[in-house]
Every structure is written in C-alpha cells, then in structure tokens.
Amino acid sequence: MENMFVKILTKIVDGISKEHSFEEVDAALKREQIYIESAVSAAYSWFFDKLLANKLQALSDPKSIRNGVRFLSEDEISLIGVENYNRLLKLVQVGFLNPEDIEMFIENVRFFPIENLQSEDITLILLASLFDIDKSMLPGSRTILYLSDTIH
C-alpha cells in the first residue's frame, strides 16, 4: 500500500507539473490500474494541504522572502536539466513550491549520488516537500472531508 501511495503521489505531481488537468491525472491512474479511491483522495489532500500552507504563509507575511522568486544559476540548471527546471517553474507557478522549497530541493539534489538525474528522481525529491509542510498546518489536518472519512 505504501508503494502504491508513493506511485499515486508521483503521478499527481508529475501530471500537475506537465500541466495535465486533475481529470487527466485520474484517468492515467485508472489506466495504470493504481486507482485506489481512498489513497487518491488522501494524496490529493496532501497536495492541496501543501498548496494551502504556502498560500497561508504568503498571506500571513507578505514581505517574506517566501513570496519572492528563486532563479537558479546556470550550474544548478545544468545539474537538474532544463526540462526538470521547467517542471519546477510550473510547480512554483501553481503554488506547490515556494523559494524555500526550491532551496531545499537544490540542497537535496546536490547530495544525490546520481550525476544525470531522471524525471523520476526529481519527482521523488519533490515529494519530500510534501512531508515537510510548514508548521502553520499540522500534518494530517486536512480542511476537506471525503465521503470515505469516518469521524470518531
């Protein structure tokens, strides 16, 4: 189940970074037979929690460096590749990543043992930002409930 959840998260982040709609991402998950409704809803919830955390931080401190733009140097772009840099920019544009996330991403990439990073490697490093949501939103504190959720 854990491996399946990572696959679902990977598909969602990949789909969004390649400008696919949520419906297209869902269709791809169903085509690959990795669509588990509860796991997909949890993955989308984590994705939207990350978006919300970034937006709340930006609203709470409008002059923060988190609201700026982080441009990569030529060395950093050559390290991750132009295609992956474009994916990062799309995720920044959507609001999934902020400049602090980009900094953390670049630090993680520098410690990655592979010289030529593939798209899958980049996605796994990006997924790490989902698990490091800012303290303004506690992990698992989704603001959306689903029909499959139970309240005790």
Side-chain angles (χ1 to χ4, degrees):
M1 179 68 174
E2 292 149 1
N3 189 24
M4 188 68 68
F5 190 72
V6 171
K7 285 181 183 179
I8 291 169
L9 273 171
T10 302
K11 283 289 180 191
I12 290 172
V13 172
D14 277 346
I16 300 305
S17 71
K18 294 176 183 171
E19 298 182 354
H20 296 294
S21 69
F22 294 122
E23 291 82 12
E24 291 171 329
V25 173
D26 280 350
L29 291 170
K30 288 176 183 174
R31 257 193 322 273
E32 295 181 24
Q33 298 178 345
I34 57 174
Y35 190 92
I36 301 169
E37 189 174 343
S38 60
V40 170
S41 64
Y44 274 122
S45 177
W46 282 24
F47 183 83
F48 285 114
D49 277 351
K50 175 69 173 163
L51 290 175
L52 248 161
N54 285 345
K55 195 167 283 274
L56 287 174
Q57 181 65 35
L59 291 174
S60 69
D61 189 9
K63 295 188 183 212
S64 170
I65 193 159
R66 297 182 97 195
N67 299 329
V69 177
R70 167 68 159 89
F71 292 103
L72 300 185
S73 69
E74 287 184 29
D75 292 336
E76 292 168 334
I77 293 173
S78 67
L79 180 66
I80 65 170
V82 174
E83 182 180 324
N84 290 321
Y85 179 57
N86 289 335
R87 288 180 61 209
L88 286 178
L89 290 177
K90 288 174 187 172
L91 290 170
V92 167
Q93 184 180 16
V94 169
F96 182 71
L97 298 176
N98 60 36
E100 284 182 4
D101 294 329
I102 299 292
E103 281 299 322
M104 185 175 69
F105 172 80
I106 293 299
E107 286 179 27
N108 289 336
V109 166
R110 287 192 176 143
F111 292 115
F112 214 76
I114 300 173
E115 237 178 77
N116 190 5
L117 293 172
Q118 301 298 318
S119 178
E120 296 82 23
D121 301 326
I122 298 294
T123 302
L124 286 176
I125 296 170
L126 283 175
L127 287 180
S129 72
L130 272 177
F131 302 106
D132 191 34
I133 294 177
D134 196 82
K135 294 175 183 73
S136 64
M137 185 170 292
L138 297 173
S141 63
R142 297 190 328 233
T143 56
I144 300 172
L145 291 176
Y146 297 97
L147 293 174
S148 61
D149 291 341
T150 56
I151 301 173
H152 298 276

